[in-house]
């Protein structure tokens, strides 16, 4: 019936997002996405009549979209920002929309949030959303990929607000219930327990798979070892430490482009490469986005700054953690990183001289 936008909805640019929006049979709700030239791009909420009560669904997109997608998509030809996700005043924007929904007669306000509950790195998260607002009954969260059964957090008035998230990979379906007496409950149901499947949707999926089967199954190489994406200690090791998979990807970029070094965010890498024949589909699954490679000349200080930023959140995982080639460096996690970012996660500054990155060395082309 309705949905909000996550950061990957912007991966193919704003014109494509507009096309897909028109093709939907559902309503997009998003209270904090603005075109600075024309105003808010989508309705902030939609109110449904359900069993004699009015339920408002209000959408919020993470301001992190500006950098987790392609920053230039949100800029004009001169590099000026022409879109806003209200990073500077998000909670005020949300509160205004909540108040308006209540004025329109909403008995309940359910937030569809793509903020995530990652308090370690992202200062704008679902916990802070609840703590800085009033009038929200439930936050159905996303973005951080966490399995989060229903819990409660206190809002600005000390009142409990339900928070839940279904995890990732469609392992769970969330079921939120409002009883006739007004009691709200939620549960997470394993998708494997839902036996019914929509025939029309399955037909579309099967056709797409068939269309790409000949391309995807083409063998393009062979790996003598398994390059893992996860292990017992982490579901995404490429976001928190050096890995064979990360080294392979960084080496491939450096050697292909003929540069002295290469660096790529671990968040760009999305799947393991298994031992044996490697197919086109294996590589596409590893790199599913339309990322481009940029070549530039960097000073030693710039390289150090980039590396410092990439390790600022350790031991917490970070999609900007860099897998590198042609570089060796040590990290001292006992030292707090001086790396700081602005609310849009675009501008980086360094407060203090003590850094985590030490003994950094750029190797020559021969290694």
């Amino acid at each position: 019936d309705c949905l909000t936008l996550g950061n990957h909805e912007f991966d193919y640019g704003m014109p494509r997002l507009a096309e897909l929006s028109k093709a939907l049979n559902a309503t997009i709700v998003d209270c904090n996405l603005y075109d600075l030239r024309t105003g808010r791009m989508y309705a902030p909420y939609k109110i449904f009549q359900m069993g004699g009560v009015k339920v408002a669904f209000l959408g919020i997109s993470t301001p992190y979209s500006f950098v987790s997608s392609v920053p230039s998509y949100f800029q004009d030809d001169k590099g000026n920002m022409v879109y806003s996700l209200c990073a500077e005043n998000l909670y005020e924007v949300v509160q205004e929309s909540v108040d308006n929904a209540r004025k329109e007669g909403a008995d309940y306000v359910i937030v569809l949030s793509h903020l995530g509950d990652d308090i370690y790195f992202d200062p704008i998260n679902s916990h802070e959303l609840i703590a800085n607002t009033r009038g929200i009954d439930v936050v159905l969260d996303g973005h951080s990929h966490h399995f989060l059964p229903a819990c409660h957090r206190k809002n600005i008035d000390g009142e409990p607000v339900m928070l839940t998230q279904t995890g990732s990979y469609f392992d769970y379906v969330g079921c939120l219930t409002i009883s006739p007496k007004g009691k709200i409950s939620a549960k997470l149901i394993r998708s494997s327990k839902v036996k019914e499947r929509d025939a029309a949707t399955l037909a579309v999926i099967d056709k797409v798979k068939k269309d790409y089967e000949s391309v995807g199954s083409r063998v393009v190489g062979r790996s003598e070892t398994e390059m893992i994406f996860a292990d017992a200690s982490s579901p995404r090791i490429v976001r928190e430490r050096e890995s064979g998979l990360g080294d392979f990807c960084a080496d491939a970029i450096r050697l292909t482009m003929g540069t002295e070094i290469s660096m790529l965010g671990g968040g760009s890498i999305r799947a393991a490469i298994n031992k044996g024949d490697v197919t086109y589909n294996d590589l596409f699954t590893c790199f599913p986005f339309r990322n481009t490679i940029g070549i530039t000349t960097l000073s030693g200080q710039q390289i150090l700054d980039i590396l410092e930023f990439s390790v600022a959140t350790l031991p917490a995982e970070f999609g900007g953690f860099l897998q590198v080639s042609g570089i060796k460096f040590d990290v001292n996690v006992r030292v707090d990183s001086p790396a700081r970012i602005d609310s849009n996660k675009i501008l980086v500054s360094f407060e203090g001289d003590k850094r985590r990155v030490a003994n950094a060395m750029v190797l020559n082309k021969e290694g």
Side-chain angles (χ1 to χ4, degrees):
D1 296 298
C2 64
L3 66 147
T4 197
L5 302 174
N7 49 300
H8 290 300
E9 268 65 71
F10 302 103
D11 282 351
Y12 298 93
M14 301 305 274
R16 181 57 175 157
L17 174 61
E19 292 175 0
L20 294 175
S21 299
K22 293 177 182 178
L24 285 172
N25 292 323
T27 299
I28 294 176
V29 288
D30 199 311
C31 74
N32 63 309
L33 177 60
Y34 281 80
D35 185 325
L36 296 175
R37 300 157 296 188
T38 59
R40 183 178 269 141
M41 296 180 63
Y42 297 95
Y45 55 84
K46 183 174 182 178
I47 297 177
F48 293 85
Q49 187 79 33
M50 295 180 172
V53 297
K54 292 182 177 180
V55 181
F57 290 89
L58 185 150
I60 308 173
S61 296
T62 172
Y64 188 49
S65 302
F66 280 168
V67 289
S68 60
S69 188
V70 181
S72 61
Y73 288 169
F74 304 95
Q75 301 169 344
D76 61 18
D77 294 339
K78 297 180 180 179
N80 300 310
M81 298 298 295
V82 291
Y83 296 94
S84 171
L85 282 165
C86 303
E88 298 81 5
N89 62 335
L90 177 65
Y91 306 130
E92 290 85 350
V93 170
V94 172
Q95 188 64 64
E96 181 183 17
S97 295
V98 172
D99 293 343
N100 288 338
R102 292 290 187 181
K103 290 176 183 177
E104 284 190 40
D107 298 294
Y108 300 91
V109 175
I110 311 298
V111 168
L112 306 179
S113 163
H114 202 89
L115 294 179
D117 62 335
D118 189 351
I119 62 176
Y120 296 103
F121 183 67
D122 200 335
I124 301 176
N125 55 69
S126 53
H127 297 281
E128 290 297 315
L129 167 71
I130 294 173
N132 286 278
T133 57
R134 58 172 57 90
I136 295 171
D137 294 290
V138 180
V139 175
L140 303 179
D141 203 16
H143 185 53
S144 51
H145 300 187
H146 292 160
F147 174 78
L148 183 64
C151 60
H152 289 85
R153 298 289 182 264
K154 291 184 177 180
N155 69 9
I156 198 169
D157 295 325
E159 298 171 342
V161 177
M162 181 179 288
L163 173 64
T164 184
Q165 187 177 167
T166 58
S168 58
Y169 299 106
F170 203 50
D171 289 336
Y172 290 86
V173 178
C175 179
L176 181 72
T177 303
I178 304 175
S179 76
K181 294 184 178 180
K183 182 181 179 180
I184 301 175
S185 60
K187 59 182 178 180
L188 302 179
I189 305 168
R190 281 194 174 275
S191 298
S192 58
K193 292 185 177 180
V194 182
K195 302 304 179 183
E196 297 83 4
R197 294 292 183 268
D198 183 75
T201 302
L202 286 178
V204 172
I205 294 172
D206 290 342
K207 183 179 185 304
V208 171
K209 287 182 176 179
K210 186 176 182 180
D211 290 344
Y212 284 91
E213 185 176 1
S214 60
V215 175
S217 61
R218 178 165 54 91
V219 176
V220 295
R222 182 173 179 80
S223 176
E224 297 300 327
T225 186
E226 182 180 6
M227 290 181 275
I228 63 172
F229 181 78
D231 62 13
S233 67
S234 173
R236 300 184 286 192
I237 62 176
V238 290
R239 295 179 178 227
E240 60 185 49
R241 65 181 185 268
E242 182 185 17
S243 72
L245 177 62
D247 287 344
F248 165 73
C249 295
D251 286 346
I253 291 174
R254 178 175 63 87
L255 295 171
T256 300
M257 305 311 295
T259 56
E260 293 179 87
I261 65 173
S262 70
M263 302 181 285
L264 77 154
S268 299
I269 305 170
R270 290 302 172 118
I273 295 178
N274 296 322
K275 181 178 180 180
D277 288 342
V278 178
T279 65
Y280 180 89
N281 190 62
D282 292 331
L283 297 183
F284 183 82
T285 304
C286 182
F287 284 113
F289 305 121
R290 298 198 310 170
N291 292 352
T292 55
I293 301 172
I295 299 178
T296 188
T297 300
L298 298 171
S299 68
Q301 187 62 56
Q302 287 173 321
I303 294 172
L304 286 172
D305 289 349
I306 292 168
L307 295 176
E308 181 67 34
F309 174 70
S310 82
V311 301
T313 67
L314 290 176
E317 72 164 38
F318 172 37
F321 177 84
L322 291 174
Q323 300 291 333
V324 301
S325 177
I327 304 175
K328 287 186 177 181
F329 66 99
D330 298 326
V331 181
N332 182 2
V333 294
R334 291 186 294 271
V335 176
D336 288 336
S337 175
R340 300 291 182 267
I341 58 175
D342 73 355
S343 55
N344 282 323
K345 292 197 172 183
I346 295 176
L347 299 177
V348 181
S349 63
F350 296 90
E351 300 175 0
D353 298 327
K354 201 170 185 180
R355 298 191 173 211
R356 287 185 162 189
V357 171
N359 302 321
M361 177 171 51
V362 175
L363 308 175
N364 59 30
K365 288 187 177 182
E366 287 72 36

